Amino acid sequence: MKVAVLVTGLPRFVNEGAWWFNHKSNYPNDKYEMDFFVHSWADETFRPALEDAWHPKKIQIGYFDKEINEFIE
């Protein structure tokens, strides 16, 4: 079975979150094939860390200040 996993938020604990998911959850296993999609609020300097940690099919990085201001308005 294929499962899509959305990883979202500020990339404060990228490596810790990926480690926990890969070592403490029931993934990887033979029942599921997971595709990861990442949406984060940061800047492009975090892209390599996010790609290395999650190996996403698609990644989108927005700018926190811009998005939070649009949300508030």
Side-chain angles (χ1 to χ4, degrees):
M1 174 190 308
K2 268 193 117 143
V3 177
V5 178
L6 174 61
V7 179
T8 185
L10 293 170
R12 293 174 289 202
F13 301 103
V14 173
N15 294 325
E16 293 85 346
W19 183 91
W20 188 93
F21 189 85
N22 286 304
H23 291 88
K24 298 292 185 179
S25 71
N26 193 25
Y27 174 78
N29 63 48
D30 294 333
K31 292 171 83 173
Y32 304 107
E33 181 182 341
M34 295 192 182
D35 291 334
F36 294 93
F37 298 85
V38 173
H39 177 258
S40 184
W41 304 288
D43 58 49
E44 288 294 323
T45 61
F46 283 95
R47 183 177 291 275
L50 291 164
E51 289 174 343
D52 289 344
W54 294 104
H55 307 286
K57 293 282 185 180
K58 187 170 182 182
I59 186 168
Q60 180 177 348
I61 296 178
Y63 294 96
F64 180 79
D65 290 337
K66 177 181 178 281
E67 292 189 25
I68 198 69
N69 287 335
E70 288 176 4
F71 176 78
I72 291 170
E73 289 173 6

